[in-house]
Amino acid sequence: MITGTERVLEILDPADGSRVGTVPMASDAEVDAAVVEARRQSTDWARTPAAERGAAVKAAAKALRDAADELARINCSETGKPVDESLGGILAGAGTLEQYAELGPLRGGRTLLGDPDATDLMVPEPRGVVVALTPWNDPVAVACGLIGAALVTGNTVVHKPSERCPHTGARLGQLLAEALPQGVLQTVQGDGSVGAALAARNDVDVTAHVGSTAAGRSIAAAAAATGAKALLENGGNDPLIVDEDVDPVWAAGQAALGAFANSGQICVAVERIYVHRAVADPFLSALVAEAQSRVLAPLVDRRHRESVHQQVRQAVDNGAVLLTGGELPDDPGAHYPATVLTSCSPELDVMRTETFGPVAPVTVVDSFGDALRLAADDDYGLAATVLTGSQANAQRAWRELPVGTVKINAVFGGAPGGAAQPRRASGAGFGYGPELLDEMSQLKVVHWEPAPAH
């Protein structure tokens, strides 16, 4: 929350409501100074040999690994994410920095086959100043991806972490910056108004954002006005399809994992479920049992919990059947139970928008084709999961679903190095993987002919 007139972020522990601390929001002058300094340092950093940039990022990764336990405790206190899960995200972030530190120096341009007396090149260059606006649900891993890719390609970075985890963002920024030249990476704190101020600047070259669709659309509009590149991973409303030929108990386990992991606060969480009528009853029974067996970490704060609860109440008030959960606990924290709804019509908020909480809304369908049609009828385009034993249905699904990632028979997983482009309201551009290095670069064509003899 923001308190008083001093623009201070006050953070409460979502587990018990106790006060974690306060962090001052950056003033307009501090935002200006951060971007000006990033611009001032950008020329020297771009000229730094790629191997040296990679070595600096690798040193930053080591500093992060050395302080991982401390940072995990800070993250847990601010967001409620358990320490072991927080630690996993931090180590993943360090691993991402190390990967980019290795990949960055290996990237090259292209030579073109033109006139044999001339030299023709396509050369990647840094874009300049990158603003990274990162979320609270996996704050270190996401930030390390954007920051690491920007730095190894020769860009300087101004990072604004989420206002829901400013202590985590501050400590992360300190750890990484100590391994880098002065001013190459800076951290500014604040709410959405600070992010908007950064995105609106004419001296920013890239605004990279992971967060809500509303914020992403605002950033896209700002980038259209300034000419900056907007790299956006917005919200998702990922469907799960359960075909008639799968084990309904196994399918319920997959659905529960997708809907309830990290209390549903994952970009690619299962947000809506379409189950074939042939297996609907045993699937729902098993899903309810899964929900009732889980003790979840709290949501990030009570404001977010109220948003989740409002979607559940709206669904019930409009005909959905509450099978388990859906009640506000009587405690000072921000806990919310694993919740299962059925008889969910397509117009309900839980089916049309991103709930981002531990809610599994289910619609029973008469055919795989019906499930595929309903799953595709959505404004978002982040990811989808299909549980089926039919090769034909699997092939049809991955070809027809208008999303960036399709997972067959597993809600999570995938080979390292994969990168997807979100679609429609879910954003644009590669936000991770080797392709993110290309997003942080721009190509220059060089045509060089010898001067005539004098």
Side-chain angles (χ1 to χ4, degrees):
M1 69 180 69
I2 304 171
T3 63
T5 60
E6 299 179 5
R7 291 169 57 86
V8 172
L9 301 170
E10 182 180 21
I11 304 300
L12 305 179
D13 189 324
D16 58 15
S18 62
R19 185 172 180 271
V20 175
T22 60
V23 173
M25 288 175 56
S27 66
D28 293 344
E30 289 169 329
V31 169
D32 182 69
V35 177
V36 169
E37 176 65 7
R39 175 64 64 193
R40 192 173 73 87
Q41 298 295 336
S42 63
T43 300
D44 285 346
W45 183 242
R47 288 176 176 170
T48 300
E52 291 183 24
R53 295 198 301 255
V57 171
K58 186 173 289 188
K62 182 181 185 305
L64 181 57
R65 286 192 183 277
D66 291 344
D69 290 335
E70 172 204 355
L71 196 54
R73 291 190 294 271
I74 297 172
N75 188 12
C76 177
S77 70
E78 290 194 297
T79 68
K81 192 170 187 176
V83 170
D84 59 339
E85 295 181 22
S86 296
L87 182 60
I90 291 161
L91 296 178
T96 298
L97 290 174
E98 290 161 350
Q99 290 169 9
Y100 283 141
E102 295 289 339
L103 287 173
L106 302 181
R107 294 175 69 250
R110 293 169 54 197
T111 57
L112 304 175
L113 299 178
D115 191 309
D117 292 330
T119 298
D120 289 274
L121 307 172
M122 294 178 66
V123 183
E125 295 183 331
R127 291 183 177 272
V129 175
V130 174
V131 165
L133 307 174
T134 58
W136 49 263
N137 61 316
D138 200 0
V140 175
V142 173
C144 285
L146 296 178
I147 292 170
L151 290 176
V152 299
T153 48
N155 302 279
T156 54
V157 180
V158 178
H159 175 218
K160 190 200 84 67
S162 169
E163 61 269 30
R164 282 170 156 143
C165 57
H167 297 88
T168 304
R171 184 63 176 131
L172 172 65
Q174 180 184 35
L175 289 166
L176 301 186
E178 288 175 350
L180 298 164
Q182 181 72 29
V184 168
L185 169 64
Q186 298 169 83
T187 303
V188 297
Q189 301 283 7
D191 61 6
S193 66
V194 174
L198 286 165
R201 295 184 64 98
N202 288 313
D203 49 358
V204 165
D205 300 289
V206 179
T207 303
H209 163 264
V210 177
S212 72
T213 294
R217 285 172 169 164
S218 175
I219 291 165
T226 65
K229 179 181 179 63
L231 184 60
L232 307 173
E233 184 185 302
N234 301 335
N237 190 31
D238 295 3
L240 170 72
I241 295 174
V242 181
D243 205 355
E244 63 181 324
D245 61 352
V246 299
D247 177 356
V249 176
W250 166 77
Q254 287 289 303
L257 177 62
F260 305 141
N262 198 33
S263 299
Q265 300 169 127
I266 301 175
C267 297
V268 290
V270 169
E271 294 278 344
R272 52 199 170 106
I273 300 169
Y274 302 100
V275 58
H276 197 288
R277 191 173 302 279
V279 293
D281 288 345
F283 171 83
L284 286 167
S285 295
L287 183 57
V288 168
E290 287 273 2
Q292 293 175 344
S293 70
R294 291 174 182 259
V295 178
L296 302 182
L299 300 181
V300 66
D301 57 30
R302 291 170 76 94
R303 175 166 58 96
H304 181 54
R305 184 178 74 168
E306 182 59 30
S307 173
V308 171
H309 187 58
Q310 283 181 356
Q311 286 202 18
V312 173
R313 296 318 308 167
Q314 188 250 13
V316 173
D317 291 343
N318 287 275
V321 178
L322 180 65
L323 298 182
T324 190
E327 299 293 336
L328 289 174
D330 184 18
D331 65 45
H335 292 85
Y336 199 77
T339 298
V340 179
L341 299 162
T342 190
S343 301
C344 295
S345 56
E347 71 276 1
L348 296 177
D349 285 350
V350 291
M351 303 298 283
R352 299 304 304 178
T353 64
E354 184 179 43
T355 305
F356 220 63
V359 180
V362 180
T363 295
V364 177
V365 297
D366 292 319
S367 69
F368 185 82
D370 287 344
L372 199 59
R373 174 179 54 81
L374 289 167
D377 180 20
D378 190 60
D379 294 333
Y380 296 85
L382 196 56
T385 303
V386 179
L387 307 181
T388 181
S390 165
Q391 183 175 354
N393 283 349
Q395 289 280 1
R396 180 184 175 189
W398 77 256
R399 291 183 183 277
E400 294 185 12
L401 285 168
V403 298
T405 300
V406 178
K407 297 164 284 184
I408 309 295
N409 295 327
V411 293
F412 298 132
Q421 293 175 302
R423 303 182 184 184
R424 298 183 292 180
S426 290
F430 289 103
Y432 53 94
E435 287 79 3
L436 181 54
L437 300 175
D438 296 329
E439 300 280 11
M440 295 294 184
S441 306
Q442 53 194 347
L443 286 173
K444 177 178 288 181
V445 172
V446 179
H447 175 73
W448 183 354
E449 293 187 13
H454 179 61

